[in-house]
Amino acid sequence: MVVKTIGTLDAITGAVDEAAEESAVGRLESRRPKTWKKWRDATLGATVQDRLRRRARLGIDDHERNAERVQRVRRRLRLPAGETWRR
């Protein structure tokens, strides 16, 4: 896959700098994936709901889509619409 991409880029931009390529690959391979942990005293439902609301507030995801997801979590946990999470 990398060879195919390099061939495509070679046709567009010219020769590939081997040192720059190795440096870029090294940086990509050394980067840890993003992870998150939930607090021990928080329920998984509360954590998921908080994350969805945060993503909507920051503009990462669509607000309406996240509102549907929050409602789905609440339905699965059988929480009334007005009830808040207790921690």
Side-chain angles (χ1 to χ4, degrees), residues 52-70:
L52 289 172
R53 286 183 175 162
R54 178 182 173 275
R55 290 173 63 96
R57 186 179 68 244
L58 294 176
I60 297 171
D61 281 342
D62 181 43
H63 180 71
E64 292 176 11
R65 184 174 178 191
N66 277 356
E68 292 172 9
R69 289 176 176 168
V70 167

Side-chain angles (χ1 to χ4, degrees), residues 16-83:
V16 175
D17 181 12
E18 297 294 327
E21 177 189 7
E22 289 178 21
S23 174
V25 169
R27 284 193 313 269
L28 287 173
E29 290 175 350
S30 68
R31 186 173 287 177
R32 290 179 30 193
K34 267 188 159 177
T35 60
W36 62 272
K37 292 186 178 183
K38 102 178 174 53
W39 294 93
R40 274 183 278 188
D41 58 344
T43 64
L44 181 59
T47 302
V48 169
Q49 184 177 1
D50 290 344
R51 293 285 174 163
L52 289 172
R53 286 183 175 162
R54 178 182 173 275
R55 290 173 63 96
R57 186 179 68 244
L58 294 176
I60 297 171
D61 281 342
D62 181 43
H63 180 71
E64 292 176 11
R65 184 174 178 191
N66 277 356
E68 292 172 9
R69 289 176 176 168
V70 167
Q71 290 305 316
R72 191 177 333 136
V73 169
R74 295 177 74 75
R75 276 194 310 270
R76 288 181 181 172
L77 295 174
R78 295 185 178 114
L79 287 175
E83 187 174 328

